[in-house]
Amino acid sequence: DTKLLYADDGFAHALPDVTAALAPAVQRVESLLGRALHVNVSDQPLASWFDVFRTLQHNDIWRTHGEWVTQSKPQFGPLIAARFAAVAKTDAAAVTDAQHKHTRIRDHLDRLLSGNTVLLMPTMPDIAPLLNEPAATAVPVRERALALLCVAGLGGLPQVSIPAATVRGGPVALSLIAARGNDELLLEIARQLT
């Protein structure tokens, strides 16, 4: 018995045309697994989960590469240089706070996705940036996207992204997320949908 959840806050985070374009794919999943129960993944905006993810990511990046960056002083491109400057400023109190929030998020997702529960979310809030767009426009797109993409990462959960529609000439996809260890469940659902 598989329980299906529809992430209201996840779909609200996507642009309206993306949510509309994914509706037929949601209906296909519902025809396979039954009507989805509408839930919010978080009791806070998903962007707050991205803040936790980003703090932990910055800490990991600096622990892994900080000594090399400090000693070698490499010449990064402007976007990467700005990111490393932010990474270097991550303080211990912020990391500790993010670690506590991460534990609460993970526990919450474990409860939400217990058993054979599958969560439906848009994979991305919009289409990917176009090649001819300025590089600086990619930053807000990436940050908006990571608010959706960090959910499975923070929970340590399997996620399958199924190409589902086209919006303004670019592909959009529907994500299915399940509890840790339910990788095969997601793969079987994806196989039945494709």
Side-chain angles (χ1 to χ4, degrees):
D1 294 0
T2 302
K3 178 178 169 184
L4 189 62
L5 303 177
Y6 179 96
D8 285 334
D9 50 352
F11 282 95
H13 190 77
L15 296 183
D17 56 350
V18 172
T19 296
L22 293 176
V26 170
Q27 291 172 348
R28 282 190 10 244
V29 177
E30 286 183 318
S31 70
L32 182 65
L33 300 177
R35 189 105 177 120
L37 174 66
H38 286 249
V39 299
N40 282 324
V41 175
S42 174
D43 59 356
Q44 302 173 13
L46 287 173
S48 68
W49 284 20
F50 167 57
D51 291 337
V52 171
F53 178 84
R54 177 177 32 203
T55 300
L56 296 174
Q57 180 187 50
H58 284 184
N59 185 56
D60 287 346
I61 290 168
W62 194 250
R63 277 194 353 237
T64 303
H65 302 292
E67 183 179 340
W68 171 75
V69 169
T70 302
Q71 290 177 357
S72 301
K73 297 181 184 10
Q75 295 295 311
F76 292 121
L79 293 177
I80 299 300
R83 290 179 74 189
F84 262 99
V87 164
K89 293 178 184 173
T90 304
D91 69 7
V95 171
T96 299
D97 182 56
Q99 289 168 335
H100 291 303
K101 289 177 179 174
H102 179 215
T103 298
R104 288 195 301 274
I105 290 168
R106 192 175 176 111
D107 291 346
H108 168 72
L109 288 170
D110 286 346
R111 288 188 301 275
L112 184 69
L113 296 173
S114 64
N116 288 334
T117 301
V118 174
L119 177 69
L120 297 177
M121 293 180 63
T123 300
M124 297 279 289
D126 196 6
I127 62 171
L130 301 176
L131 287 174
N132 61 355
E133 290 183 33
T137 63
V139 174
V141 171
R142 180 182 65 239
E143 291 186 357
R144 186 171 174 90
L146 282 170
L148 292 175
L149 295 169
C150 75
V151 172
L154 286 170
L157 307 172
Q159 177 173 350
V160 170
S161 181
I162 300 172
T166 302
V167 172
R168 298 182 315 280
V172 292
L174 180 67
S175 277
L176 287 72
I177 300 173
R180 278 184 299 285
N182 271 354
D183 308 60
E184 289 183 10
L185 170 68
L186 291 184
L187 293 173
E188 178 57 26
I189 294 168
R191 186 190 65 74
Q192 292 180 48
L193 291 171
T194 56

